[in-house]
Amino acid sequence: MTTIERWSGVEVRALREAMRMSLREFAAHLGVSERMISKWEAGRENIRPRPVNQAALDTCLTRSDADTRARFSRLIGTDALLTAGEAEAVKPIGSDHVRHSVDGSLMALVEGSVFQAGPGNTPLWLPSYYIDVYPVSNQEYAQFVAATGAHTPRHWTGGTFPADLAEHPVVFVTWPDAVAYAEWVGKALPTSQQWEKAARGTRGSIYPWGDQATPAKCNVRENGIGNTTPRDCYMSGGSTYGVHDLCGNVWEWCSTETSPGRYELKGGAWTSPFVRATPSSFNDAAASMCDDDTGFRCAVPA
């Protein structure tokens, strides 16, 4: 593997040509404007992109196929390159999973970078954070209820959840319920942008698994299941960060307020048509909304 110690406009142009992309395609791939790419290339060795863009270029190069890297090496020459022995090893996305110190939940690192946000794929910068790999389960929520005396979701009987739903996402939780759980465990609800980046990656994939519309990879209305499923039921539908259940199963509360008393929901649910499960789609609800298709997951700053 090779990488660049410090990028200039010369290396930027070489990478674009090695990837055989137009200015427009390359700008969209990096999440910057065409004008910025033109400025870098025109400035040649006198231009040094900002650190966030240097990181994006590094990622772009290391994830290119062998033929692209070979073309880049020929265009740039060997003097500007670092070998794998000279550069720090790059960890594959999705390899940085940790256990939270309080509840033991598995969390994935989403490193700070630009990503494509919303239906218009607007480039936005987010700092690093961790997000739950799965939505909060009935079993995890039961620990919160036992510790705090919080009220139980309405589908629980005798103060506990049905045994066969232990690994299903908890539902019938309002936004304040979700916030109370997150605060108890030392986390927070993710912003809608944090949630979306964990689902779509830096390249703005339409779905967590890529751009192909595949309802079979998630629990949505078309599949006719008619209820929630275990959180690890659709492992092939995970995102590049190794985060799962981001399409379908349950809508997930976010911390982003859309108007007084209303908050964003992400991901669609088992009650939703597949088209509504697109991670870039917008949905919101009153904080008091409590339904059988709505749950949540948590996040913490890195």
Side-chain angles (χ1 to χ4, degrees):
M1 183 189 73
T2 55
T3 187
I4 293 295
E5 183 174 14
R6 190 177 181 190
W7 291 82
S8 74
V10 174
E11 291 81 25
V12 170
R13 178 161 187 170
L15 180 58
R16 180 174 68 82
E17 292 180 350
M19 296 181 74
R20 295 173 175 169
M21 287 184 172
S22 66
L23 274 173
R24 176 175 294 181
E25 291 169 334
F26 192 59
H29 187 68
L30 286 179
V32 299
S33 67
E34 292 178 55
R35 182 179 178 183
M36 184 171 290
I37 299 294
S38 296
K39 179 180 177 181
W40 290 345
E41 293 187 3
R44 295 186 57 76
E45 65 274 0
N46 297 318
I47 287 290
R48 299 292 184 184
R50 292 185 303 161
V52 59
N53 294 319
Q54 297 258 351
L57 289 160
D58 281 338
T59 301
C60 186
L61 174 60
T62 56
R63 293 184 189 166
S64 296
D65 59 42
D67 289 342
T68 298
R69 292 196 299 271
R71 287 193 294 271
F72 177 76
S73 297
R74 288 195 296 270
L75 288 167
I76 211 67
T78 57
D79 291 344
L81 297 172
L82 295 175
T83 67
E86 298 170 318
E88 183 179 351
V90 176
K91 295 181 180 179
I93 283 183
S95 65
D96 287 319
H97 284 182
V98 299
R99 292 281 179 185
H100 190 259
S101 59
V102 177
D103 65 356
S105 62
L106 196 62
M107 304 192 79
L109 175 64
V110 180
E111 293 184 339
S113 68
V114 173
F115 82 107
Q116 311 290 320
N121 286 336
T122 303
L124 292 176
W125 161 264
L126 282 184
S128 299
Y129 60 96
Y130 286 92
I131 191 166
D132 287 342
V133 169
Y134 303 104
V136 174
S137 68
N138 284 296
Q139 185 166 291
E140 289 170 335
Y141 199 78
Q143 297 172 357
F144 162 67
V145 170
T148 65
H151 67 272
T152 59
R154 68 178 66 170
H155 66 303
W156 292 14
T157 56
T160 189
F161 55 86
D164 60 338
L165 298 183
E167 284 302 314
H168 288 231
V170 66
V171 293
F172 286 117
V173 286
T174 64
W175 187 84
D177 291 335
V179 169
Y181 176 94
E183 291 178 348
W184 170 74
V185 82
K187 302 179 185 178
L189 295 184
T191 66
S192 61
Q193 293 174 354
Q194 287 175 328
W195 193 101
E196 186 180 341
K197 183 180 179 183
R200 302 181 66 199
T202 57
R203 299 183 181 183
S205 298
I206 298 175
Y207 306 102
W209 55 83
D211 294 329
Q212 186 172 1
T214 315
K217 289 183 179 288
C218 55
N219 181 9
V220 287
R221 184 192 298 172
E222 284 86 344
N223 294 331
I225 295 172
N227 204 343
T228 58
T229 48
R231 304 174 301 168
D232 60 355
C233 188
Y234 294 91
M235 296 300 285
S236 65
S239 76
T240 56
Y241 295 107
V243 183
H244 296 278
D245 234 18
L246 292 159
C247 278
N249 214 6
V250 293
W251 287 105
E252 297 184 19
W253 286 113
C254 295
S255 64
T256 304
E257 189 173 28
T258 57
S259 61
R262 296 184 68 85
Y263 295 87
E264 279 203 52
L265 293 162
K266 283 291 192 181
W270 61 271
T271 55
S272 309
F274 179 65
V275 68
R276 293 284 285 142
T278 308
S280 61
S281 297
F282 174 81
N283 189 22
D284 70 350
S288 59
M289 192 270 290
C290 186
D291 214 337
D292 63 351
D293 65 353
T294 304
F296 66 99
R297 75 179 73 213
C298 301
V300 293

